[in-house]
């Protein structure tokens, strides 16, 4: 290990090899406090060449490395937890934060893997463009991490997930070689496509160092609505109506009553309207070059099943409304600290028409466990975040809820990834041929099992 540290210092400079306990801790535990491990060191390369040198040193010494971005992940995929307990290096990509010039003709930008979503969005907005992916962890979450997990967020209804925004990647393989291209060609039909191979690979196949991203217009007019509906099935009807009649639809988020109460208590302010106990709240964003208020209000008035709604174009009122969605994760974390148990999180998706069945199953499972269920998510993708507070038997909960989602034609992870948290449940949604193919690809690209061992059930 001492020889490795010496090589790493030579590669990135003494100041960027962190070995002291207090310097390492923030990199060794995940955001929820549920997943933690110990790293021999945290290395902070400042260029692609330095990432190559770090990978080669780790390879020479046979020491695994965990790539890490903003460390906002929720499935333990970015903390050092080697399955065999072998020594591990955390490689933080946060210094690769360069944001290139905005290409207004191509609607693209080249960014370092360590740039945060918020920083890229701010830069794009200065050119009246925007990043099509957005979620609550935007100030810390990095582009590299978002690619690694194929992150989603609130704008998927309009623009798709992270995978759909990546026109090119540059990445370092376990061999230390660089693959990919940042040319950003919208058309290229020349065999395997690195952005497709690496999106969602969770740092197990290569370390993304930079990306060429698609940008979209930054709409001058953004409005937000809070809507209440009687049941989950009704929410599906409202969604269908809005998709047919509102061309400016940018987000359709769903908040169940328990989640709304928790975040309201956390914020110290009540939402202007509240759903009934069986009902739910929808937070809807519209964005367009001209004010979309008329489009949205007309559609809401004509929509079946809308009980109550408020629509605002005022920036500070919008922000206040959006907090009832954006800050639920934070409210859950505060409650989890108060009760002294980490939250047990599941991130499932089902076809939208099965969402009501999923909510019933999830509630029954939580009741059987005796825990408190805080549910919210992204309606258009049938994606629910099930946050269990004070859960007793997490493995029983996971089997039951993930099994139900899989059974309904859904998935065990919609946007957070598999990490180490969900590996044992992968067979619920992948057959043996698929799992064996993933293992074959992993061992072809990373025969020494150097990159994020154990994550996605690969290696380790
Ligand atoms: C969100 O949609 C994130 O805000 C986090 O995916 C969800 O905390 C969660 O469960
Ligand atoms: Zn989410």
């Amino acid at each position: 290990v001492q020889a490795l540290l010496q090589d790493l210092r030579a590669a990135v400079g003494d100041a960027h090899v962190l070995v002291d306990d207090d310097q390492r801790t923030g990199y060794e535990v995940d955001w929820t406090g549920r997943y933690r491990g110990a790293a021999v060191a945290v290395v902070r390369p400042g260029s692609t060449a330095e990432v190559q040198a770090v990978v080669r040193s780790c390879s020479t010494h046979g020491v695994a490395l965990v790539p890490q971005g903003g460390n906002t992940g929720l499935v333990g995929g970015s903390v050092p937890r080697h399955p065999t307990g072998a020594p591990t290096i955390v490689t933080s990509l946060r210094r690769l934060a360069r944001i290139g010039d905005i290409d207004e003709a191509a609607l693209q930008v080249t960014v370092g893997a360590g740039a945060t979503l918020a920083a890229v969005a701010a830069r794009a907005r200065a050119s009246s463009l925007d990043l099509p992916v957005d979620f609550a962890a935007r100030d810390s979450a990095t582009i590299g991490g978002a690619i690694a997990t194929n992150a989603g967020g609130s704008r998927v209804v309009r623009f798709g997930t992270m995978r759909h925004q990546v026109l090119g990647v540059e990445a370092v393989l376990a061999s230390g070689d660089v693959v990919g291209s940042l040319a950003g060609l919208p058309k290229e039909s020349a065999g395997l496509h690195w952005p497709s191979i690496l999106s969602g690979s969770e740092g197990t196949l290569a370390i993304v160092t930079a990306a060429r991203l698609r940008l979209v217009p930054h709409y001058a007019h953004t409005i937000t609505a809070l809507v209440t509906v009687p049941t989950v099935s009704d929410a599906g009807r409202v969604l269908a109506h809005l998709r047919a009649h509102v061309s400016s639809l940018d987000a359709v988020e769903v908040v169940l009553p328990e989640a709304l109460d928790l975040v309201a208590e956390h914020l110290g302010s009540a939402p202007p309207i509240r759903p009934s106990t069986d009902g739910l709240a929808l937070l809807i964003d519209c964005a367009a070059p001209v004010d979309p208020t008329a489009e949205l209000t007309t559609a809401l008035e004509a929509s079946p099943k809308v009980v109550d709604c408020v629509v605002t174009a005022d920036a500070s009122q919008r922000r206040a409304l959006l907090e009832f969605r954006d800050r639920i994760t934070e409210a859950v974390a505060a409650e989890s600290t108060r009760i002294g148990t980490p939250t047990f999180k599941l991130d499932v998706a089902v076809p939208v028409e099965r969402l009501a069945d999923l909510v019933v199953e999830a509630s029954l499972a939580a009741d059987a466990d005796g825990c408190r269920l805080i549910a919210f998510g992204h309606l258009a993708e049938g994606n629910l975040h099930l946050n269990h507070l004070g859960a007793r038997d997490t493995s029983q909960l996971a089997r039951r809820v993930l099994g139900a989602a899989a059974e309904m034609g859904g998935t065990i992870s919609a946007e957070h990834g598999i990490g180490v948290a969900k590996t044992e449940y992968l067979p619920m949604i992948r057959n043996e041929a698929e799992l064996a193919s993933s293992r074959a690809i992993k061992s072809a690209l990373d025969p020494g099992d150097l990159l994020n061992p154990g994550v996605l059930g690969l290696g380790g």
Side-chain angles (χ1 to χ4, degrees):
V1 163
Q2 285 314 318
L4 169 63
L5 291 178
Q6 223 161 42
D7 284 0
L8 293 173
R9 290 192 178 105
V12 302
D14 292 5
H16 296 296
V17 179
L18 315 179
V19 289
D20 295 344
D21 289 357
D22 56 333
Q23 290 181 309
R24 291 191 338 260
T25 42
Y27 299 85
E28 292 180 330
V29 59
D30 86 321
W31 190 88
T32 65
R34 177 172 285 277
Y35 302 100
R36 63 174 71 236
V40 175
V42 175
V43 189
R44 297 166 34 94
S47 67
T48 302
E50 289 188 6
V51 175
Q52 291 180 271
V54 167
V55 171
R56 289 196 169 119
S57 305
C58 286
S59 173
T60 304
H61 295 276
V63 171
L65 47 92
V66 175
Q68 188 181 96
N71 200 17
T72 60
L74 298 172
V75 290
S78 61
V79 291
R81 284 167 57 93
H82 198 293
T84 67
T88 309
I89 297 287
V90 168
T91 306
S92 168
L93 283 310
R94 275 186 250 178
R95 284 179 68 219
L96 303 186
R98 213 183 81 81
I99 301 175
D101 293 337
I102 303 295
D103 184 335
E104 296 183 22
L107 298 180
Q108 294 176 2
V109 64
T110 297
V111 303
T116 63
L117 270 68
V120 177
R123 186 67 69 82
R125 285 176 193 171
S127 299
S128 300
L129 294 172
D130 205 358
L131 185 68
V133 169
D134 187 40
F135 46 84
R138 62 185 72 81
D139 291 322
S140 315
T142 62
I143 295 295
I147 295 172
T149 52
N150 183 29
S154 60
R155 307 187 81 188
V156 175
V157 63
R158 191 172 202 166
F159 299 116
T161 64
M162 196 65 193
R163 157 179 289 138
H164 304 102
Q165 325 309 335
V166 189
L167 287 146
V169 286
E170 175 196 81
V172 176
L173 294 174
S175 61
D177 295 326
V178 174
V179 295
S181 154
L182 298 172
L185 299 174
K187 273 188 173 178
E188 188 187 30
S189 183
L192 295 183
H193 182 236
W194 284 104
S196 305
I197 295 170
L198 297 182
S199 297
S201 66
E202 299 191 27
T204 62
L205 302 181
I207 301 178
V208 173
T209 49
R212 183 78 175 168
L213 300 177
R214 170 168 92 119
L215 298 174
V216 295
H218 180 229
Y219 299 108
H221 297 270
T222 315
I223 62 169
T224 300
L226 176 63
V227 173
T228 59
V229 294
T231 67
V232 182
S233 312
D234 294 334
R237 284 185 209 124
V238 174
L239 173 70
H241 184 83
L242 295 178
R243 295 199 90 167
H245 296 97
V246 183
S247 60
S248 57
L249 206 59
D250 212 282
V252 192
E253 304 281 284
V254 54
V255 184
L256 273 76
E258 300 77 7
L260 195 61
D261 290 346
L262 183 75
V263 70
E265 194 185 310
H266 179 70
L267 297 172
S269 68
I273 53 176
R274 327 174 67 104
S276 66
T277 325
D278 298 329
L280 37 84
L282 306 181
L283 270 152
I284 300 165
D285 247 353
C286 290
V290 293
D291 188 357
T293 306
E295 184 185 49
L296 180 62
T297 49
T298 310
L300 286 172
E301 275 159 21
S303 172
K305 304 300 178 187
V306 167
V307 176
D308 248 333
C309 73
V310 288
V311 180
T312 179
D314 175 81
S316 76
Q317 286 179 21
R318 275 192 66 229
R319 259 196 308 278
L321 277 188
L322 288 171
E323 294 213 316
F324 290 105
R325 164 61 184 85
D326 243 18
R327 295 181 63 187
I328 300 175
T329 297
E330 181 192 307
V332 167
E335 183 61 12
S336 130
T337 305
R338 199 186 65 78
I339 64 173
T341 357
T343 315
F344 182 63
K345 284 173 181 278
L346 295 174
D347 164 40
V348 294
V350 293
V352 181
E353 73 266 18
R354 302 301 305 272
L355 202 57
D357 300 331
L358 178 70
V359 169
V360 170
E361 253 317 301
S363 308
L364 290 173
D367 287 349
D369 183 77
C371 66
R372 183 169 167 202
L373 174 64
I374 305 298
F376 60 101
H378 313 281
L379 179 65
E381 292 80 46
N383 177 193
L384 274 195
H385 299 311
L386 303 169
N387 281 254
H388 304 85
L389 284 165
R392 282 180 305 172
D393 190 343
T394 55
S395 108
Q396 168 72 14
L397 268 172
R399 292 217 159 274
R400 181 159 173 188
V401 176
L402 300 181
E407 177 78 13
M408 292 175 199
T411 184
I412 64 166
S413 177
E415 56 174 12
H416 297 166
I418 295 297
V420 294
K422 307 286 154 38
T423 53
E424 62 180 296
Y425 311 112
L426 261 178
M428 290 176 172
I429 52 160
R430 298 287 180 260
N431 68 28
E432 191 38 54
E434 290 168 329
L435 295 171
S437 306
S438 296
R439 287 193 295 269
I441 294 170
K442 167 72 171 175
S443 58
L445 291 184
D446 181 15
D449 200 13
L450 226 52
L451 303 178
N452 230 2
V455 163
L456 270 175
L458 299 173

